[in-house]
Amino acid sequence: MAENIIEVKNLKKAYHDGVEATVALAGVTFEVRKGEFLAIMGPSGSGKSTLLHLLGLLDTPTGGTYHFDGKNITAYNGDELADLRNRKLGFVFQAFNLLARTSVLENVKLPLVYSDVPEHEWDAMATKAVEAVGLGNRINHDQSELSGGERQRVAIARALVTDPDVIFADEPTGNLDSKSGKNIMSILQRLNMKEGKTIVLITHETATAEHSERIIRLMDGVIETDVKVRNRLSADSEYVK
């Protein structure tokens, strides 16, 4: 049985405005196996975005514990957390977050700027990541020349370039038409099934979530259900190899 790469126990997060606290997570407990594809669902205000920020080491909890790859995150200082986030985690966001007036290649190389990888290796690594999402023929195009689906594929390539253990995808199909969304899910499924990447997907769309192996549903900061996907959808497309 695969080891757990993520383990959270009674994880909590509250925001204080100086007068009262707003509880975003009221205590959640679950594990994510290495190589698993997990979807986290919930309505607006359920805590799913807060949970993503905690799991992605973009924020710190106010209670509970979080172990990543067997080690409590409190054992790391700020610089070590930043290094862990850069080396082990990849992020794909709904809004793409690409650099304006910048080529596909330069956008994908960005995480390497903050890594220990020698600069002479950057182009080759970025090119490999771009080709992995089927955009080799667009590598020198400005990101503004791409469609929404292509921009999201660039964002996935950027998340892949450091060969992370976990990819966090936050509503990756939210700004796309159905065909482009299907292609994005196809790429994520291939990364999971063929390359063993652990995927944590945040989505409000049931059809998108059903491409995963397991769905956690949040409501008011707690886990409402945690179930296996019995009939996992396949996102067949030309990009699945």
Side-chain angles (χ1 to χ4, degrees):
M1 188 173 181
E3 299 176 41
N4 293 328
I5 192 164
I6 288 172
E7 295 181 354
V8 298
K9 293 183 180 179
N10 200 30
L11 200 67
K12 299 177 181 179
K13 181 65 179 183
Y15 298 96
H16 299 267
D17 62 6
V19 178
E20 58 183 40
T22 299
V23 177
L25 286 177
V28 297
T29 299
F30 64 93
E31 302 83 30
V32 182
R33 292 179 291 103
K34 289 183 178 179
E36 186 173 14
F37 194 143
L38 170 69
I40 299 173
M41 297 190 69
S44 178
S46 62
K48 62 184 186 296
S49 294
T50 296
L51 181 56
L52 173 75
H53 282 85
L54 296 180
L55 297 179
L57 306 177
L58 300 169
D59 199 357
T60 55
T62 50
T65 60
Y66 174 17
H67 286 77
F68 182 86
D69 208 10
K71 188 172 180 179
N72 195 316
I73 62 165
T74 59
Y76 297 95
N77 63 34
D79 289 341
E80 291 169 335
L81 282 174
D83 179 65
L84 179 65
R85 190 165 53 242
N86 185 258
R87 290 185 300 107
K88 298 287 189 176
L89 310 181
F91 297 90
V92 181
F93 298 101
Q94 179 177 351
F96 316 141
N97 293 348
L98 301 180
L99 297 176
R101 298 179 296 280
T102 306
S103 71
V104 169
L105 181 66
E106 294 302 315
N107 265 288
V108 174
K109 282 164 56 174
L110 185 61
L112 298 173
V113 174
Y114 305 99
S115 74
D116 295 328
V117 177
E119 188 171 355
H120 69 268
E121 298 179 16
W122 293 358
D123 280 3
M125 292 176 68
T127 298
K128 180 181 178 181
V130 171
E131 291 175 346
V133 299
L135 283 179
N137 62 331
R138 308 282 272 169
I139 195 166
N140 292 313
H141 284 65
D142 189 283
Q143 64 93 16
S144 64
E145 301 176 275
L146 307 181
S147 68
E150 288 173 330
R151 291 182 190 181
Q152 193 60 291
R153 282 194 270 157
V154 174
I156 293 174
R158 183 183 56 194
L160 280 176
V161 73
T162 58
D163 193 25
D165 293 335
V166 183
I167 295 175
F168 293 100
D170 187 7
E171 300 280 7
T173 63
N175 284 338
L176 306 177
D177 59 55
S178 59
K179 181 179 178 181
S180 297
K182 186 176 180 180
N183 283 337
I184 293 305
M185 294 313 300
S186 172
I187 292 170
L188 292 176
Q189 280 193 322
R190 174 174 56 78
L191 292 171
N192 172 246
M193 299 173 73
K194 300 292 181 66
E195 300 187 26
K197 295 295 183 187
T198 304
I199 310 286
V200 178
L201 169 73
I202 302 292
T203 183
H204 67 278
E205 299 170 340
T206 300
T208 300
E210 288 176 348
H211 291 289
S212 69
E213 299 174 87
R214 173 181 162 213
I215 300 174
I216 288 177
R217 293 181 185 270
L218 293 179
M219 180 65 73
D220 297 328
V222 298
I223 293 176
E224 187 176 49
T225 59
D226 183 348
V227 298
K228 295 285 187 180
V229 177
R230 291 188 176 183
N231 298 304
R232 185 180 185 187
L233 293 180
S234 174
D236 293 329
S237 85
E238 60 187 293
Y239 304 113
V240 176
K241 299 177 182 178

mmCIF file of all heavy atoms in Angstrom, residues 165-202:
data_model
loop_
_atom_site.group_PDB
_atom_site.id
_atom_site.type_symbol
_atom_site.label_atom_id
_atom_site.label_comp_id
_atom_site.label_asym_id
_atom_site.label_seq_id
_atom_site.Cartn_x
_atom_site.Cartn_y
_atom_site.Cartn_z
ATOM 1 N N ASP A 165 6.313 16.575 -6.392
ATOM 2 C CA ASP A 165 5.630 15.372 -5.932
ATOM 3 C C ASP A 165 4.118 15.537 -5.966
ATOM 4 O O ASP A 165 3.384 14.567 -6.179
ATOM 5 C CB ASP A 165 6.061 15.028 -4.500
ATOM 6 C CG ASP A 165 7.510 14.616 -4.421
ATOM 7 O OD1 ASP A 165 8.046 14.137 -5.439
ATOM 8 O OD2 ASP A 165 8.114 14.772 -3.340
ATOM 9 N N VAL A 166 3.644 16.765 -5.705
ATOM 10 C CA VAL A 166 2.202 17.033 -5.638
ATOM 11 C C VAL A 166 1.868 18.231 -6.513
ATOM 12 O O VAL A 166 2.578 19.238 -6.500
ATOM 13 C CB VAL A 166 1.749 17.334 -4.188
ATOM 14 C CG1 VAL A 166 0.236 17.543 -4.143
ATOM 15 C CG2 VAL A 166 2.151 16.212 -3.242
ATOM 16 N N ILE A 167 0.783 18.103 -7.270
ATOM 17 C CA ILE A 167 0.265 19.233 -8.041
ATOM 18 C C ILE A 167 -1.082 19.628 -7.457
ATOM 19 O O ILE A 167 -1.994 18.801 -7.351
ATOM 20 C CB ILE A 167 0.115 18.882 -9.527
ATOM 21 C CG1 ILE A 167 1.495 18.605 -10.143
ATOM 22 C CG2 ILE A 167 -0.586 20.015 -10.283
ATOM 23 C CD1 ILE A 167 1.434 18.133 -11.580
ATOM 24 N N PHE A 168 -1.193 20.892 -7.052
ATOM 25 C CA PHE A 168 -2.450 21.450 -6.562
ATOM 26 C C PHE A 168 -3.101 22.208 -7.705
ATOM 27 O O PHE A 168 -2.497 23.136 -8.254
ATOM 28 C CB PHE A 168 -2.207 22.387 -5.381
ATOM 29 C CG PHE A 168 -1.708 21.700 -4.149
ATOM 30 C CD1 PHE A 168 -0.358 21.715 -3.824
ATOM 31 C CD2 PHE A 168 -2.581 21.016 -3.310
ATOM 32 C CE1 PHE A 168 0.111 21.078 -2.686
ATOM 33 C CE2 PHE A 168 -2.131 20.364 -2.178
ATOM 34 C CZ PHE A 168 -0.774 20.393 -1.856
ATOM 35 N N ALA A 169 -4.309 21.812 -8.067
ATOM 36 C CA ALA A 169 -5.029 22.448 -9.167
ATOM 37 C C ALA A 169 -6.297 23.099 -8.615
ATOM 38 O O ALA A 169 -7.214 22.406 -8.171
ATOM 39 C CB ALA A 169 -5.374 21.422 -10.240
ATOM 40 N N ASP A 170 -6.332 24.424 -8.613
ATOM 41 C CA ASP A 170 -7.435 25.179 -8.024
ATOM 42 C C ASP A 170 -8.381 25.637 -9.127
ATOM 43 O O ASP A 170 -8.089 26.579 -9.859
ATOM 44 C CB ASP A 170 -6.877 26.382 -7.259
ATOM 45 C CG ASP A 170 -7.942 27.128 -6.472
ATOM 46 O OD1 ASP A 170 -9.091 26.633 -6.413
ATOM 47 O OD2 ASP A 170 -7.636 28.192 -5.918
ATOM 48 N N GLU A 171 -9.512 24.961 -9.271
ATOM 49 C CA GLU A 171 -10.506 25.265 -10.298
ATOM 50 C C GLU A 171 -9.854 25.418 -11.678
ATOM 51 O O GLU A 171 -10.048 26.427 -12.377
ATOM 52 C CB GLU A 171 -11.276 26.553 -9.947
ATOM 53 C CG GLU A 171 -12.026 26.507 -8.623
ATOM 54 C CD GLU A 171 -13.361 25.769 -8.712
ATOM 55 O OE1 GLU A 171 -13.658 25.180 -9.768
ATOM 56 O OE2 GLU A 171 -14.097 25.770 -7.708
ATOM 57 N N PRO A 172 -9.060 24.428 -12.115
ATOM 58 C CA PRO A 172 -8.278 24.602 -13.349
ATOM 59 C C PRO A 172 -9.110 24.699 -14.620
ATOM 60 O O PRO A 172 -8.615 25.173 -15.640
ATOM 61 C CB PRO A 172 -7.399 23.346 -13.377
ATOM 62 C CG PRO A 172 -8.201 22.319 -12.643
ATOM 63 C CD PRO A 172 -8.877 23.094 -11.538
ATOM 64 N N THR A 173 -10.378 24.273 -14.578
ATOM 65 C CA THR A 173 -11.234 24.353 -15.760
ATOM 66 C C THR A 173 -12.266 25.466 -15.646
ATOM 67 O O THR A 173 -13.110 25.635 -16.523
ATOM 68 C CB THR A 173 -11.965 23.015 -15.988
ATOM 69 O OG1 THR A 173 -12.837 22.754 -14.867
ATOM 70 C CG2 THR A 173 -10.982 21.869 -16.116
ATOM 71 N N GLY A 174 -12.200 26.253 -14.575
ATOM 72 C CA GLY A 174 -13.238 27.238 -14.282
ATOM 73 C C GLY A 174 -13.411 28.316 -15.337
ATOM 74 O O GLY A 174 -14.508 28.816 -15.529
ATOM 75 N N ASN A 175 -12.333 28.685 -16.035
ATOM 76 C CA ASN A 175 -12.416 29.742 -17.040
ATOM 77 C C ASN A 175 -12.426 29.211 -18.469
ATOM 78 O O ASN A 175 -12.213 29.976 -19.419
ATOM 79 C CB ASN A 175 -11.224 30.702 -16.893
ATOM 80 C CG ASN A 175 -11.393 31.646 -15.719
ATOM 81 O OD1 ASN A 175 -12.502 31.888 -15.261
ATOM 82 N ND2 ASN A 175 -10.290 32.187 -15.230
ATOM 83 N N LEU A 176 -12.678 27.910 -18.629
ATOM 84 C CA LEU A 176 -12.535 27.284 -19.939
ATOM 85 C C LEU A 176 -13.857 26.750 -20.470
ATOM 86 O O LEU A 176 -14.765 26.423 -19.711
ATOM 87 C CB LEU A 176 -11.522 26.133 -19.845
ATOM 88 C CG LEU A 176 -10.148 26.467 -19.269
ATOM 89 C CD1 LEU A 176 -9.297 25.212 -19.181
ATOM 90 C CD2 LEU A 176 -9.450 27.535 -20.113
ATOM 91 N N ASP A 177 -13.925 26.627 -21.795
ATOM 92 C CA ASP A 177 -15.073 25.957 -22.393
ATOM 93 C C ASP A 177 -14.948 24.461 -22.144
ATOM 94 O O ASP A 177 -13.910 23.973 -21.683
ATOM 95 C CB ASP A 177 -15.163 26.268 -23.887
ATOM 96 C CG ASP A 177 -13.919 25.832 -24.665
ATOM 97 O OD1 ASP A 177 -13.548 24.641 -24.589
ATOM 98 O OD2 ASP A 177 -13.329 26.671 -25.362
ATOM 99 N N SER A 178 -16.014 23.717 -22.452
ATOM 100 C CA SER A 178 -16.040 22.302 -22.086
ATOM 101 C C SER A 178 -14.948 21.491 -22.781
ATOM 102 O O SER A 178 -14.348 20.607 -22.167
ATOM 103 C CB SER A 178 -17.415 21.696 -22.396
ATOM 104 O OG SER A 178 -17.717 21.828 -23.772
ATOM 105 N N LYS A 179 -14.659 21.796 -24.049
ATOM 106 C CA LYS A 179 -13.627 21.043 -24.763
ATOM 107 C C LYS A 179 -12.247 21.297 -24.160
ATOM 108 O O LYS A 179 -11.473 20.360 -23.916
ATOM 109 C CB LYS A 179 -13.619 21.426 -26.243
ATOM 110 C CG LYS A 179 -12.593 20.657 -27.051
ATOM 111 C CD LYS A 179 -12.625 21.059 -28.524
ATOM 112 C CE LYS A 179 -11.557 20.305 -29.314
ATOM 113 N NZ LYS A 179 -11.562 20.704 -30.760
ATOM 114 N N SER A 180 -11.942 22.572 -23.895
ATOM 115 C CA SER A 180 -10.644 22.896 -23.294
ATOM 116 C C SER A 180 -10.536 22.312 -21.896
ATOM 117 O O SER A 180 -9.484 21.819 -21.496
ATOM 118 C CB SER A 180 -10.456 24.416 -23.245
ATOM 119 O OG SER A 180 -10.427 24.971 -24.533
ATOM 120 N N GLY A 181 -11.642 22.357 -21.147
ATOM 121 C CA GLY A 181 -11.644 21.776 -19.808
ATOM 122 C C GLY A 181 -11.374 20.288 -19.843
ATOM 123 O O GLY A 181 -10.651 19.752 -18.998
ATOM 124 N N LYS A 182 -11.934 19.609 -20.827
ATOM 125 C CA LYS A 182 -11.705 18.166 -20.964
ATOM 126 C C LYS A 182 -10.237 17.879 -21.256
ATOM 127 O O LYS A 182 -9.652 16.935 -20.717
ATOM 128 C CB LYS A 182 -12.592 17.608 -22.081
ATOM 129 C CG LYS A 182 -12.539 16.096 -22.220
ATOM 130 C CD LYS A 182 -13.513 15.621 -23.282
ATOM 131 C CE LYS A 182 -13.455 14.103 -23.416
ATOM 132 N NZ LYS A 182 -14.395 13.599 -24.452
ATOM 133 N N ASN A 183 -9.624 18.712 -22.095
ATOM 134 C CA ASN A 183 -8.202 18.528 -22.390
ATOM 135 C C ASN A 183 -7.346 18.717 -21.137
ATOM 136 O O ASN A 183 -6.372 17.983 -20.925
ATOM 137 C CB ASN A 183 -7.758 19.505 -23.483
ATOM 138 C CG ASN A 183 -8.192 19.076 -24.867
ATOM 139 O OD1 ASN A 183 -8.446 17.899 -25.115
ATOM 140 N ND2 ASN A 183 -8.289 20.034 -25.777
ATOM 141 N N ILE A 184 -7.690 19.701 -20.320
ATOM 142 C CA ILE A 184 -6.937 19.942 -19.085
ATOM 143 C C ILE A 184 -7.063 18.743 -18.152
ATOM 144 O O ILE A 184 -6.074 18.274 -17.563
ATOM 145 C CB ILE A 184 -7.434 21.228 -18.389
ATOM 146 C CG1 ILE A 184 -7.102 22.455 -19.235
ATOM 147 C CG2 ILE A 184 -6.832 21.353 -16.986
ATOM 148 C CD1 ILE A 184 -5.636 22.606 -19.608
ATOM 149 N N MET A 185 -8.274 18.214 -18.006
ATOM 150 C CA MET A 185 -8.461 17.039 -17.146
ATOM 151 C C MET A 185 -7.735 15.825 -17.710
ATOM 152 O O MET A 185 -7.232 14.986 -16.957
ATOM 153 C CB MET A 185 -9.949 16.745 -16.960
ATOM 154 C CG MET A 185 -10.703 17.824 -16.184
ATOM 155 S SD MET A 185 -9.851 18.349 -14.666
ATOM 156 C CE MET A 185 -9.776 16.789 -13.769
ATOM 157 N N SER A 186 -7.659 15.729 -19.024
ATOM 158 C CA SER A 186 -6.910 14.647 -19.657
ATOM 159 C C SER A 186 -5.437 14.703 -19.273
ATOM 160 O O SER A 186 -4.823 13.686 -18.937
ATOM 161 C CB SER A 186 -7.059 14.740 -21.181
ATOM 162 O OG SER A 186 -6.208 13.827 -21.831
ATOM 163 N N ILE A 187 -4.886 15.904 -19.319
ATOM 164 C CA ILE A 187 -3.470 16.064 -18.961
ATOM 165 C C ILE A 187 -3.243 15.707 -17.498
ATOM 166 O O ILE A 187 -2.287 14.992 -17.152
ATOM 167 C CB ILE A 187 -3.008 17.509 -19.251
ATOM 168 C CG1 ILE A 187 -2.997 17.764 -20.764
ATOM 169 C CG2 ILE A 187 -1.625 17.766 -18.658
ATOM 170 C CD1 ILE A 187 -2.798 19.214 -21.147
ATOM 171 N N LEU A 188 -4.115 16.191 -16.621
ATOM 172 C CA LEU A 188 -3.961 15.891 -15.196
ATOM 173 C C LEU A 188 -4.093 14.390 -14.935
ATOM 174 O O LEU A 188 -3.344 13.823 -14.128
ATOM 175 C CB LEU A 188 -4.985 16.673 -14.376
ATOM 176 C CG LEU A 188 -4.789 18.190 -14.325
ATOM 177 C CD1 LEU A 188 -5.930 18.855 -13.560
ATOM 178 C CD2 LEU A 188 -3.441 18.557 -13.694
ATOM 179 N N GLN A 189 -5.030 13.734 -15.623
ATOM 180 C CA GLN A 189 -5.170 12.297 -15.446
ATOM 181 C C GLN A 189 -3.928 11.550 -15.930
ATOM 182 O O GLN A 189 -3.492 10.591 -15.305
ATOM 183 C CB GLN A 189 -6.408 11.781 -16.177
ATOM 184 C CG GLN A 189 -7.691 12.011 -15.402
ATOM 185 C CD GLN A 189 -8.851 11.228 -15.990
ATOM 186 O OE1 GLN A 189 -8.982 11.100 -17.204
ATOM 187 N NE2 GLN A 189 -9.700 10.707 -15.126
ATOM 188 N N ARG A 190 -3.373 11.991 -17.050
ATOM 189 C CA ARG A 190 -2.152 11.325 -17.543
ATOM 190 C C ARG A 190 -1.009 11.490 -16.559
ATOM 191 O O ARG A 190 -0.260 10.546 -16.288
ATOM 192 C CB ARG A 190 -1.752 11.891 -18.913
ATOM 193 C CG ARG A 190 -0.414 11.332 -19.404
ATOM 194 C CD ARG A 190 -0.100 11.780 -20.814
ATOM 195 N NE ARG A 190 -0.102 13.213 -20.980
ATOM 196 C CZ ARG A 190 0.894 14.017 -20.603
ATOM 197 N NH1 ARG A 190 1.959 13.527 -19.993
ATOM 198 N NH2 ARG A 190 0.820 15.312 -20.817
ATOM 199 N N LEU A 191 -0.864 12.698 -16.016
ATOM 200 C CA LEU A 191 0.200 12.935 -15.039
ATOM 201 C C LEU A 191 0.028 12.034 -13.822
ATOM 202 O O LEU A 191 0.998 11.559 -13.233
ATOM 203 C CB LEU A 191 0.200 14.402 -14.610
ATOM 204 C CG LEU A 191 0.606 15.407 -15.689
ATOM 205 C CD1 LEU A 191 0.366 16.830 -15.209
ATOM 206 C CD2 LEU A 191 2.065 15.215 -16.081
ATOM 207 N N ASN A 192 -1.213 11.805 -13.448
ATOM 208 C CA ASN A 192 -1.496 10.944 -12.307
ATOM 209 C C ASN A 192 -1.303 9.468 -12.639
ATOM 210 O O ASN A 192 -0.588 8.742 -11.937
ATOM 211 C CB ASN A 192 -2.930 11.197 -11.834
ATOM 212 C CG ASN A 192 -3.382 10.221 -10.773
ATOM 213 O OD1 ASN A 192 -4.287 9.418 -11.012
ATOM 214 N ND2 ASN A 192 -2.765 10.241 -9.612
ATOM 215 N N MET A 193 -1.904 9.010 -13.727
ATOM 216 C CA MET A 193 -1.950 7.583 -14.031
ATOM 217 C C MET A 193 -0.676 7.069 -14.685
ATOM 218 O O MET A 193 -0.265 5.932 -14.446
ATOM 219 C CB MET A 193 -3.154 7.292 -14.917
ATOM 220 C CG MET A 193 -4.485 7.643 -14.259
ATOM 221 S SD MET A 193 -5.920 7.506 -15.370
ATOM 222 C CE MET A 193 -6.041 5.721 -15.484
ATOM 223 N N LYS A 194 -0.049 7.892 -15.511
ATOM 224 C CA LYS A 194 1.143 7.444 -16.241
ATOM 225 C C LYS A 194 2.443 7.840 -15.547
ATOM 226 O O LYS A 194 3.451 7.143 -15.654
ATOM 227 C CB LYS A 194 1.133 8.013 -17.663
ATOM 228 C CG LYS A 194 -0.074 7.604 -18.489
ATOM 229 C CD LYS A 194 -0.061 6.123 -18.800
ATOM 230 C CE LYS A 194 -1.271 5.726 -19.647
ATOM 231 N NZ LYS A 194 -1.262 6.303 -20.991
ATOM 232 N N GLU A 195 2.444 8.965 -14.851
ATOM 233 C CA GLU A 195 3.674 9.457 -14.240
ATOM 234 C C GLU A 195 3.642 9.435 -12.720
ATOM 235 O O GLU A 195 4.623 9.790 -12.064
ATOM 236 C CB GLU A 195 3.984 10.869 -14.748
ATOM 237 C CG GLU A 195 4.160 10.912 -16.264
ATOM 238 C CD GLU A 195 4.622 12.263 -16.769
ATOM 239 O OE1 GLU A 195 5.257 12.991 -15.982
ATOM 240 O OE2 GLU A 195 4.351 12.578 -17.940
ATOM 241 N N GLY A 196 2.522 9.017 -12.143
ATOM 242 C CA GLY A 196 2.445 8.823 -10.694
ATOM 243 C C GLY A 196 2.388 10.084 -9.865
ATOM 244 O O GLY A 196 2.634 10.051 -8.652
ATOM 245 N N LYS A 197 2.031 11.213 -10.492
ATOM 246 C CA LYS A 197 1.953 12.454 -9.734
ATOM 247 C C LYS A 197 0.731 12.431 -8.804
ATOM 248 O O LYS A 197 -0.342 11.981 -9.182
ATOM 249 C CB LYS A 197 1.833 13.657 -10.669
ATOM 250 C CG LYS A 197 3.043 13.903 -11.555
ATOM 251 C CD LYS A 197 4.267 14.267 -10.753
ATOM 252 C CE LYS A 197 5.451 14.577 -11.654
ATOM 253 N NZ LYS A 197 6.697 14.781 -10.871
ATOM 254 N N THR A 198 0.918 12.916 -7.601
ATOM 255 C CA THR A 198 -0.198 13.116 -6.687
ATOM 256 C C THR A 198 -0.901 14.404 -7.093
ATOM 257 O O THR A 198 -0.263 15.447 -7.249
ATOM 258 C CB THR A 198 0.296 13.233 -5.232
ATOM 259 O OG1 THR A 198 1.070 12.067 -4.910
ATOM 260 C CG2 THR A 198 -0.884 13.355 -4.269
ATOM 261 N N ILE A 199 -2.216 14.333 -7.293
ATOM 262 C CA ILE A 199 -2.999 15.502 -7.705
ATOM 263 C C ILE A 199 -4.026 15.820 -6.633
ATOM 264 O O ILE A 199 -4.770 14.934 -6.189
ATOM 265 C CB ILE A 199 -3.740 15.258 -9.037
ATOM 266 C CG1 ILE A 199 -2.800 14.701 -10.118
ATOM 267 C CG2 ILE A 199 -4.447 16.537 -9.495
ATOM 268 C CD1 ILE A 199 -1.841 15.675 -10.706
ATOM 269 N N VAL A 200 -4.080 17.077 -6.214
ATOM 270 C CA VAL A 200 -5.135 17.558 -5.334
ATOM 271 C C VAL A 200 -5.892 18.638 -6.094
ATOM 272 O O VAL A 200 -5.339 19.698 -6.402
ATOM 273 C CB VAL A 200 -4.589 18.107 -4.004
ATOM 274 C CG1 VAL A 200 -5.726 18.651 -3.143
ATOM 275 C CG2 VAL A 200 -3.832 17.016 -3.248
ATOM 276 N N LEU A 201 -7.125 18.335 -6.435
ATOM 277 C CA LEU A 201 -7.945 19.201 -7.268
ATOM 278 C C LEU A 201 -9.018 19.890 -6.432
ATOM 279 O O LEU A 201 -9.744 19.241 -5.677
ATOM 280 C CB LEU A 201 -8.612 18.337 -8.355
ATOM 281 C CG LEU A 201 -9.716 18.974 -9.193
ATOM 282 C CD1 LEU A 201 -9.118 19.974 -10.172
ATOM 283 C CD2 LEU A 201 -10.501 17.897 -9.943
ATOM 284 N N ILE A 202 -9.123 21.204 -6.568
ATOM 285 C CA ILE A 202 -10.212 21.963 -5.954
ATOM 286 C C ILE A 202 -11.209 22.299 -7.057
ATOM 287 O O ILE A 202 -10.826 22.862 -8.092
ATOM 288 C CB ILE A 202 -9.701 23.271 -5.317
ATOM 289 C CG1 ILE A 202 -8.629 22.996 -4.266
ATOM 290 C CG2 ILE A 202 -10.864 24.059 -4.727
ATOM 291 C CD1 ILE A 202 -9.118 22.296 -3.033
#
